Every structure is written in structure tokens, then in C-alpha cells.
Amino acid sequence: MGMGGAFVGVADDATACFWNPSGLALLNRKEFSFMHAETFGSLLNQDFIALALPLEEATSSSALAFSLQRLGGGGVKITDLEKKGLDISDTNRVILLREESHADYALFFSYSHRLHPHLLGGANFKVIYRDVITTSAWGVGADLSFLAQPYSFLSVGANLMDLTSSFLFYDNGTTETINPTTKLGLALNHQVKDFYLILAADADVRYEGRKSAAQFWLGRLSADMHYGMEVSYQRKLAGRLGLDQGEFTAGAGLWIKQLGLDVAFLSQDELDNTYRVSLLWRF
């Protein structure tokens, strides 16, 4: 998030199972990641936990990962009328019965393999559970991804999320479809002595006629952009800046031996700001 959500072309740690699972094959050590975010203030809480396991650590040719994501919140007010069966009026007011919470869960099973010295492929299979106060739903989906590194300073990635659409089946008999999204990313890197620079840009391409709800659109096609940069010193101390769909982001990272701590901030014009903290352990 510190880089504006531009990470599809970078994808070089355990969080790749979300951004671009192809990048998991770059790992040469096991990694464990935990993240917590206060999204739009306290409106939503987001949590993420992942374990990435290189299958051939010496060659970095393939990897497995398991991750769990949760996005949820509370404060959903359940109301009723004082006198049931009658219209609302001065003598028949709305009363608060209770407050409920809601949450979405997604369990990811990820695999990545080096298809060519300069090309990696990856895939996700995911199981989704949704709990929305009075109803719940189960669903499944799949992602397919690629990460090309034609030059040492350039990488290009694509993550075809919900490739064939993901379907949710509710316990009340209704269904919901999660339409495909194509995430495209490009990253440039350059090293000068002890300093390392990354410049990245991503595009989230959708096909569902979002029109003015997106930054750019043409017919049913739309795109939202992400831009970011990171400057690190000896790969131990990093500063980050970005734009997430036009909103300013910033972040910082610190490595102490096998542990990495990252913090990030996303500004919002119409909602409260978002804050995110994550921990990464390589072992």
C-alpha cells in the first residue's frame, strides 16, 4: 500500500500470493507474513496471514503458499418499528434492536513455477466464505498469473483474477458472481552503491461497465491506476510513496536480521484514512 498498490510487477515476498502468485518462485527461503489494516478509519478491518514455502530453495524454481484474508466490520444497525404492521409516524418510531458485524474470508492455495529462465507462472485456487448478518455464502474461484523478467532492471507481470468468474452460493438460494479483473504491472529497478530504487505502475482492468466509477473507461472496459516508488538503503531501511487510484500513499520498512516491519498510510478525501502494518519473517 505504501507504493500505491503497484506490486504486480514486483511480487517478491510472501504477499505475492495475493498480488501475483508467480513471484513466489523468486523466494529462496520460507516466509511468514501477517498484516492488519484499519481501512477508512475503523469502518473496516482487514487481516492477512500467509506462509510461503519454496520447494527447491537452492534454485528458486517453484513454491507453494497458503494464505487467509479477512475483511469485515461492525456497527450494522438492525432496526424495527415500535408497532409492527403499521406505517412509520410520530407515534410509531424506528427503534434499534441490536448491532451486528459482517465479514468476508478467502482461503488461498497458491503455486508458482519457473517456466523459463526469464518467465514465471503461478495460480491461485481460493475458497470464499461470506457472513452478512442474516445470511451466508460459500464460493470458489481461481487466478492465473505470469511474471516476466527480460532484463535485470525490468519485470512485467499479469494477474488474471477470478479468471472464469467466481461464484457465491447463498443459503437463501440466491447466487452472486465476482467478475474477472486483469491486474497488469511493470517495475523498474536500479542500484547505486548501497541504495536501491524501484519504480512501479499497475493497472486494474475490468470488464463490467463501471464507467464513471473508474478512473478511465471505454464502453464496458475500465481501468484504475496505481503508481509507486521505493528507495531502500542496503535493503534494510526503505521509504515508499505512491498514488492509489489518485489517492496519496506513503510507507516505510525496516529489516532486522530475518524480521521485516512495514507500515503504510492511504489518504482519503471523502472517508477516513487507512493505516496498515505488517510483519514478515524469513526462516
Side-chain angles (χ1 to χ4, degrees), residues 10 35 59 75 83 117 127 133 137 158-159 170 185 197 218 227 231 234 242 246 272 275 280 282-283:
V10 182
M35 182 277 296
T59 59
K83 302 173 183 176
V127 179
I133 307 173
N159 187 8
Y170 287 85
L197 171 68
L218 179 63
Y227 306 98
V231 178
Q234 293 184 346
D272 290 336
Y275 300 90
L280 186 68
R282 289 177 178 159
F283 58 100

Side-chain angles (χ1 to χ4, degrees), residues 12 189 191 194 196 230 232-238 255:
D12 59 356
N189 63 80
Q191 186 173 3
D194 290 335
Y196 193 77
E230 177 190 83
S232 63
Y233 175 71
Q234 293 184 346
R235 305 291 185 95
K236 295 181 179 179
L237 181 64
W255 273 100

Side-chain angles (χ1 to χ4, degrees), residues 3 6 10 153 186-190 197-201 227-230:
M3 293 177 63
V10 182
F153 62 87
L186 179 148
L188 299 169
N189 63 80
H190 182 64
L197 171 68
I198 298 176
L199 299 176
Y227 306 98
M229 66 173 292
E230 177 190 83

Side-chain angles (χ1 to χ4, degrees), residues 36 75 114 175 200:
H36 175 74
R114 187 176 292 275
T175 60

